[in-house]
Amino acid sequence: MTNNRARREFLRLLGVGGARLALGALGVSAFARHAFADDHCATGSWGRLVGNVGGWTCDNHSGYKILEIYLNLGASQWESFWLPGMGSPNFSDYGMGSLALSDLDWGANTGDFPCQAPDIPADFDDAQLFSTQSGGGNIYWGAPTRPIYQRSNIFSRCRMVTQYHDLLPHEAAIPYVLSGLRLGNARRAGAGTAIQHRARVVEPEQLLPVSYVLHRGAFASPDAASVTGTHPGFARPVVIRIQDDNAFVNSLARSGVSSESDELFLALRHEYRDRLRFRGAGSPVRSTDFEGYWVAAELLENAPAMQALFGDNILVRDTNVATCPEHPAATEPNTPAIKTMLDAAASLLSSGPARYVCAIDNGITNTYDTHGDGSSMHLLRTSANIYNVMHHLADIIHHPVDNPDGTLDLDDTMVVINTDFNRTPGINGNNGRDHWPYGYLTTFIGGPISGGQSILGRIDNAGFTEPQYRYSATDMRAAVLLAAGVDPFAENNYRVSDFSEAIQSGIATEAQIRDRLKGDILGV
């Protein structure tokens, strides 16, 4: 009974069981997919890149891998990724000058990972010029991002794009930002879903999932990142909660299942398939329910191979990690799971089958969302949280001299740093900063991004994204799909009317939007 429950849980996590079998439809039959294994540009191959997108074609652009880091519940970016100023950043802008910046002890735990020089800023006022925003004015990165900006091989491959939406509650913002479509839209799906769907068509022999969502326990975000919309249910990413034990990996074991049982199961499902042939000959008739069942059976039989992906306890939360900087909000030790998630992501992307991994971070203070605990706490929490993420991210990125032990290669993987929304430029008394979707950022690192750090967009002195640069979550998600080699306009994905006015301005066709996503959003 225990093994049966474990197998059912495995299928549930893969999104191929129960009602999900009936979702969506494949562009081609599960048994016709093999025809596209060698020629995935053939007409009818789901998600193939259509036409010539600024030099990218179906033949020459198989796509970059994607690591998405989601700062859960709205990280304030004023203190880290967006410090405006002329010759130097002005720390009075956006209310920073009145906060107790000295309360952050950057030197705490020095020498213990990740509290290591040269990553640790001398003080909170440390900053690095990033680039000039569209329309003029310098933008700097603040002290929490030092682990990235002191690594020139990473910093020179960063791009920021200004964002705007009008959804203040987390419950509405999170689904929108992680899918590019609002609640109520039947097509709402995460990027990992489209990437998983595409991989299944292009590489039908690749049975292991290629999309994963890792979290420690995060409100709404895991479901929003793995929603399938109108895609087939088996396109759902594998959702894994990082715990203090290996429960997920153990659930994949098939102990007690005999070879005779497997052979019987194989015979029965082939008999089932033969009943869908016309007079027992030819290809089976198309059935989305059956395709879902067939993929589920393949995955079940392949569970041991998936179990082998997670050796050496890589999904067990590492609790032996120092936290820094120390700050008043750290009333009790809290070792976050982001190091474990990013280490696992690097393994899956560098030596495993993954094409997409989303790591959802709650921070070392267990939240990016603070209200009513003193005006300085939000800055202090966010700064500590972001520093921690940046160090662990830098630690997995390979460089032959700076970090030879890192395994993530920015030449084949694009990192996306995302959040629900920013926080108010001003301080709301003792409540700190409130929700602010009117001016925030998505940061891209590596993959197609090269040639020096750059900014697309402008945020004015009041914290609002200026109208011509109000790029939307749809624009970002579609650009991620394009970078991953998936056509944003493939069935179940996006339509021209979904995109922001900033992207649609002066153009009207899918081909033009593809070009603009590559040239403007990705800067390629």
Side-chain angles (χ1 to χ4, degrees):
M1 183 64 72
T2 300
N3 286 332
N4 289 337
R5 279 199 299 268
R7 288 194 291 275
R8 286 197 298 270
E9 175 64 8
F10 173 56
L11 292 181
R12 185 191 69 79
L13 289 164
L14 289 168
V16 295
R20 292 200 180 272
L21 294 179
L23 288 176
L26 278 174
V28 291
S29 166
F31 311 104
R33 285 197 306 266
H34 296 268
F36 302 113
D38 297 323
D39 183 16
H40 63 269
C41 288
T43 300
S45 180
W46 188 90
R48 69 187 181 92
L49 201 60
V50 176
N52 186 315
V53 186
W56 284 353
T57 68
C58 185
D59 289 311
N60 68 24
H61 182 54
S62 59
Y64 294 92
K65 301 173 186 178
I66 306 295
L67 169 59
E68 179 165 6
I69 301 174
Y70 193 75
L71 310 179
N72 193 47
L73 297 179
S76 176
Q77 296 163 324
W78 307 131
E79 300 85 29
S80 52
F81 292 102
W82 197 266
L83 304 178
M86 298 303 291
S88 62
N90 181 352
F91 285 94
S92 294
D93 284 351
Y94 304 143
M96 286 182 284
S98 62
L99 297 176
L101 308 182
S102 60
D103 286 346
L104 285 170
D105 183 359
W106 293 96
N109 305 316
T110 300
D112 294 330
F113 182 88
C115 312
Q116 297 170 315
D119 283 1
I120 294 179
D123 55 48
F124 189 87
D125 289 352
D126 279 11
Q128 171 66 46
L129 176 64
F130 182 81
S131 186
T132 300
Q133 65 177 328
S134 304
N138 289 339
I139 298 298
Y140 295 78
W141 275 18
T145 65
R146 183 179 173 88
I148 296 296
Y149 73 63
Q150 64 92 16
R151 286 268 302 272
S152 60
N153 67 301
I154 305 175
F155 192 53
S156 63
R157 301 190 64 177
C158 295
R159 180 170 175 80
M160 296 192 297
V161 180
T162 57
Q163 299 263 242
Y164 179 98
H165 65 77
D166 58 2
L167 302 173
L168 286 168
H170 293 296
E171 293 84 351
I174 292 173
Y176 175 58
V177 170
L178 279 169
S179 70
L181 296 172
R182 298 183 181 228
L183 287 172
N185 191 314
R187 289 178 287 114
R188 184 172 61 86
T193 296
I195 292 169
Q196 176 68 45
H197 188 171
R198 176 82 176 112
R200 185 70 189 176
V201 173
V202 175
E203 302 177 85
E205 302 304 323
Q206 170 59 51
L207 299 182
L208 291 174
V210 302
S211 292
Y212 300 80
V213 175
L214 309 178
H215 70 104
R216 171 65 177 160
F219 167 76
S221 301
D223 287 340
S226 61
V227 66
T228 56
T230 53
H231 290 268
F234 60 75
R236 184 176 188 254
V238 180
V239 180
I240 304 173
R241 179 169 181 167
I242 301 300
Q243 302 183 75
D244 295 338
D245 57 40
N246 233 348
F248 174 80
V249 177
N250 294 338
S251 74
L252 301 178
R254 304 189 72 226
S255 56
V257 179
S258 66
S259 59
E260 290 82 2
S261 296
D262 277 342
E263 290 171 2
L264 177 60
F265 181 39
L266 182 64
L268 289 173
R269 67 184 176 93
H270 277 80
E271 181 181 342
Y272 181 14
R273 183 185 67 178
D274 289 341
R275 289 177 181 271
L276 298 179
R277 302 178 191 275
F278 180 68
R279 294 182 177 176
S283 297
V285 298
R286 182 180 175 206
S287 166
T288 57
D289 282 5
F290 181 74
E291 288 173 341
Y293 159 76
W294 189 270
V295 173
E298 289 180 326
L299 292 169
L300 178 61
E301 293 173 345
N302 215 38
M306 185 171 176
Q307 188 179 41
L309 294 177
F310 304 112
D312 298 325
N313 294 324
I314 67 170
L315 294 181
V316 178
R317 184 174 67 115
D318 187 348
T319 58
N320 189 30
V321 183
T323 57
C324 54
E326 287 191 351
H327 54 91
T331 55
E332 60 183 50
N334 175 35
T335 303
I338 191 62
K339 179 184 187 306
T340 303
M341 284 189 268
L342 291 180
D343 286 347
S347 176
L348 288 167
L349 290 163
S350 62
S351 59
R355 303 291 305 177
Y356 172 88
V357 179
C358 178
I360 300 173
D361 179 47
N362 290 338
I364 65 175
T365 59
N366 206 36
T367 186
Y368 284 86
D369 187 25
T370 54
H371 299 280
D373 56 1
S375 62
S376 67
M377 286 301 102
H378 199 109
L379 181 147
L380 301 179
R381 287 177 184 267
T382 298
S383 296
N385 290 345
I386 290 179
Y387 172 86
N388 188 65
V389 172
M390 295 297 102
H391 186 102
H392 293 303
L393 173 59
D395 190 57
I396 65 171
I397 295 176
H398 176 76
H399 187 271
V401 176
D402 294 339
N403 190 30
D405 293 333
T407 59
L408 196 75
D409 185 355
L410 290 182
D411 287 337
D412 67 20
T413 302
M414 183 173 75
V415 179
V416 183
I417 302 175
N418 199 7
T419 189
D420 320 8
F421 37 56
N422 202 348
R423 296 286 164 158
T424 51
I427 305 300
N428 181 13
N430 285 331
N431 289 322
R433 301 191 190 278
D434 292 325
H435 300 182
W436 187 259
Y438 313 112
Y440 73 107
L441 310 161
T442 293
T443 301
F444 301 103
I445 305 175
I449 312 298
S450 61
Q453 57 271 17
S454 57
I455 296 171
L456 174 64
R458 180 177 176 82
I459 297 175
D460 64 25
N461 291 336
F464 287 88
T465 305
E466 294 192 352
Q468 67 269 40
Y469 302 115
R470 289 181 176 174
Y471 297 100
S472 70
T474 309
D475 305 338
M476 299 304 110
R477 308 316 298 185
V480 167
L481 292 186
L482 191 64
V486 179
D487 180 20
F489 291 104
E491 183 184 9
N492 315 117
N493 290 340
Y494 301 109
R495 300 169 181 168
V496 169
S497 58
D498 295 328
F499 290 86
S500 70
E501 292 183 9
I503 282 290
Q504 290 190 54
S505 178
I507 62 177
T509 69
E510 293 180 358
Q512 290 171 315
I513 288 180
R514 290 186 192 97
D515 284 334
R516 189 164 282 183
L517 290 172
K518 184 187 178 189
D520 290 2
I521 302 298
L522 298 175
V524 181

